Amino acid sequence: MKKLLSILLCLAMMLTMVACGNSGSDTASEEKENNGAGGFPGFGGLQDADENEDDIKENEEEEKKETSLSDSKNETVRDPMEEDAENEFEIGTNRSGEYKNDFIGLACKVDSDWSLANEDELLALNGFAEDAGIDEYRDAAMFYDMYAYDENGNTISVILEKIDEDILESLDLRENYENRKSFIQESFEGMGFESIEFTDADIFFAGEERIGMYTESEIQGTVMYQGSVSIKCGDYLISITVTTAKDDLVDECFDWFYEV
């Protein structure tokens, strides 16, 4: 079970990098190499998954694909840089079981049996120094803005990936999910997952339907359920990923999110 928990971070980051091979994944991969989250609550560290994660990073560099013009569901949902000053770049807050980020317009209230990573834990998860501030987050190519977990190894993550504005504008999210399925399947299989199934979906999330994908797989006799939703915001792609074991709680967890 410890090894199973240790690869959940890899899975969440992998689905986030569905975004675009040209979006700065070189930098993101370098930052992940320096990740110091071995003692992070909810999983046993990345030691057992390091070799597989290296393979993921190498494959990621080979997966650069052109994208078509976006349809209506691919439009940027909001551009905080064009709104008032209170919507300038900021990271989320985690207080009393509630995550909130006005910059991306999302909040989440987790159940009482879940825990939200605090500021120090997120710094460790992102591989930042203990005294890192807002500038380190702003300059990062990709970072965890929220990480939640329960005692059963279920996890929720919100990851922001900075992408060139022109690339993001033309990014077709559905097409990118489709383009990445073979890479994701190979990566899952490399980690020991079996019976991998993908389901394209318009997922009701934070008040409206969003482009996303469900994944069901099995590892060490345990069925894993995963759902991912992608949202454009300014020059960031936000990926929200839920992973649950044994019981399919993905949509239930998605229902905890709301717009702010």
Side-chain angles (χ1 to χ4, degrees):
M1 187 64 177
K2 181 177 180 180
K3 182 175 181 179
L4 177 60
L5 296 176
S6 74
I7 62 179
L8 294 181
L9 286 180
C10 299
L11 301 184
M13 185 64 73
M14 186 192 329
L15 284 176
T16 300
M17 296 171 86
V18 161
C20 181
N22 293 320
S23 60
S25 56
D26 286 347
T27 305
S29 295
E30 290 171 2
E31 291 175 355
K32 285 299 292 178
E33 283 186 36
N34 296 321
N35 192 317
F40 193 83
F43 58 86
L46 295 178
Q47 297 93 329
D48 295 329
D50 283 345
E51 182 176 350
N52 289 315
E53 187 176 6
D54 289 340
D55 292 338
I56 293 171
K57 295 170 188 173
E58 182 178 351
N59 289 337
E60 178 63 25
E61 296 305 310
E62 300 173 358
E63 291 290 329
K64 297 181 179 181
K65 296 181 179 292
E66 295 181 355
T67 59
S68 63
L69 293 176
S70 59
D71 56 26
S72 59
K73 289 182 179 177
N74 284 290
E75 294 177 355
T76 302
V77 295
R78 60 186 294 181
D79 189 346
M81 300 306 178
E82 295 181 359
E83 297 184 5
D84 50 62
E86 69 178 5
N87 286 326
E88 292 180 355
F89 178 85
E90 62 181 57
I91 57 176
T93 59
N94 302 315
R95 298 190 181 97
S96 302
E98 184 173 21
Y99 160 81
K100 182 180 180 182
N101 188 327
D102 290 324
F103 172 64
I104 64 174
L106 284 180
C108 177
K109 178 70 174 179
V110 301
D111 276 359
S112 59
D113 55 346
W114 282 68
S115 299
L116 279 171
N118 60 34
E119 181 179 351
D120 291 337
E121 292 166 344
L122 283 172
L123 287 173
L125 181 60
N126 285 306
F128 296 157
E130 293 181 359
D131 60 350
I134 188 70
D135 289 339
E136 281 75 11
Y137 282 94
R138 184 186 290 109
D139 295 339
M142 180 185 297
F143 65 88
Y144 283 87
D145 196 50
M146 168 195 163
Y147 186 84
Y149 54 91
D150 69 3
E151 62 182 7
N152 298 315
N154 302 321
T155 65
I156 305 171
S157 65
V158 176
I159 300 176
L160 274 66
E161 182 180 8
K162 186 181 290 185
I163 300 177
D164 179 87
E165 184 176 355
D166 292 335
I167 294 175
L168 185 59
E169 183 178 357
S170 63
L171 182 67
D172 185 295
L173 299 178
R174 173 66 65 215
E175 182 178 325
N176 271 269
Y177 273 121
E178 186 65 32
N179 289 341
R180 300 292 290 159
K181 285 180 182 178
S182 60
F183 164 71
I184 295 172
Q185 179 158 347
E186 290 175 3
S187 301
F188 271 48
E189 290 173 345
M191 294 179 184
F193 284 83
E194 301 175 338
S195 304
I196 304 161
E197 297 181 3
F198 301 104
T199 302
D200 297 326
D202 293 328
I203 299 174
F204 191 79
F205 175 86
E208 62 182 272
E209 287 189 342
R210 319 276 189 173
I211 290 177
M213 184 175 71
Y214 294 108
T215 305
E216 183 176 332
S217 57
E218 185 175 337
I219 185 171
Q220 299 173 5
T222 300
V223 178
M224 302 292 293
Y225 302 92
Q226 191 166 57
S228 178
V229 172
S230 295
I231 302 173
K232 298 178 183 181
C233 177
D235 56 352
Y236 284 89
L237 184 98
I238 297 90
S239 295
I240 303 93
T241 303
V242 175
T243 304
T244 64
K246 298 182 180 179
D247 298 318
D248 186 357
L249 307 176
V250 172
D251 285 335
E252 178 181 325
C253 294
F254 277 149
D255 286 342
W256 298 342
F257 285 84
Y258 56 94
E259 288 186 335
V260 293

